Amino acid sequence: MNDTLLLILVYAAFLALTLFFRGRVLQGRWWFLLRSFLPNWRFYHRVGALPIMVVRSCGADGHWTDWGGGVPRARRSLSQLVHNPGNNRLLLDQSLTEHLYADLRDLSDPESLTSLVSYRLACELARLRALSDLPTAVRLQFEIRLIPPYGVASADTAVLTSPVLATAARETPDP
């Protein structure tokens, strides 16, 4: 028997044993970072709410736009089968939103929210979205909302509402 077949058999036996003997769930920051290397066997475990980011911006006249954003639909074509940076960016943005939501659920001290890397990256993403919607925007605000399964997100499903932020990267948030 060659080594490859032996490794496959050992792996299959390990998976079979994990179906019968359930241990404690491994949680922690480093396991979260290593999740891309480990298969998620509970992918279809249950349908859950999807976190989305909605953004609104304020122009120099003081008028706020409506909340906009959400989950954009990806455009597909045959040429994008090999090279697809636009849709990959949309997936990256959604992954960032889901990562921030996971960090919010695990957060024990609400005061430490602004020190999270995922929160700072979400602020930058919101800044880019606000400036693409309204290039003359001076202030912005974003919310993380949960879309219930087979439903529509509304303002009452907001998990996080950011303070009013300045669109210039060097300015501090408004009080």
Side-chain angles (χ1 to χ4, degrees), residues 47-52 145-154 156-158:
V47 177
L50 175 70
I52 62 166
R145 294 181 183 173
L146 291 178
I147 298 178
Y150 313 112
V152 178
S154 61
D156 59 337
T157 60

Side-chain angles (χ1 to χ4, degrees), residues 69-137:
V71 182
R73 299 294 294 171
R75 285 182 261 139
R76 298 182 181 168
S77 68
L78 190 58
S79 64
Q80 293 176 340
L81 189 60
V82 177
H83 183 66
N84 195 357
N87 289 345
N88 287 342
R89 176 58 196 239
L90 294 175
L91 288 172
L92 173 72
D93 294 347
Q94 183 58 33
S95 293
L96 172 63
T97 304
E98 291 172 6
H99 192 114
L100 176 60
Y101 176 66
D103 286 348
L104 286 171
R105 284 187 316 197
D106 296 339
L107 195 63
S108 59
D109 180 24
E111 296 296 322
S112 64
L113 173 67
T114 56
S115 65
L116 294 173
V117 173
S118 58
Y119 177 77
R120 287 187 259 153
L121 287 172
C123 289
E124 289 301 315
L125 175 61
R127 185 172 286 120
L128 287 173
R129 286 187 182 177
L131 289 174
S132 70
D133 292 343
L134 182 66
T136 60

Side-chain angles (χ1 to χ4, degrees), residues 55-67 123 126-142 162-169 171-175:
V55 179
R56 69 179 184 156
S57 54
C58 177
D61 59 354
H63 177 71
W64 285 92
T65 62
D66 292 333
W67 292 101
C123 289
R127 185 172 286 120
L128 287 173
R129 286 187 182 177
L131 289 174
S132 70
D133 292 343
L134 182 66
T136 60
V138 292
R139 281 179 261 151
L140 68 106
Q141 192 174 21
F142 72 92
S162 75
V164 175
L165 305 169
T167 56
E171 294 182 26
T172 58
D174 291 342

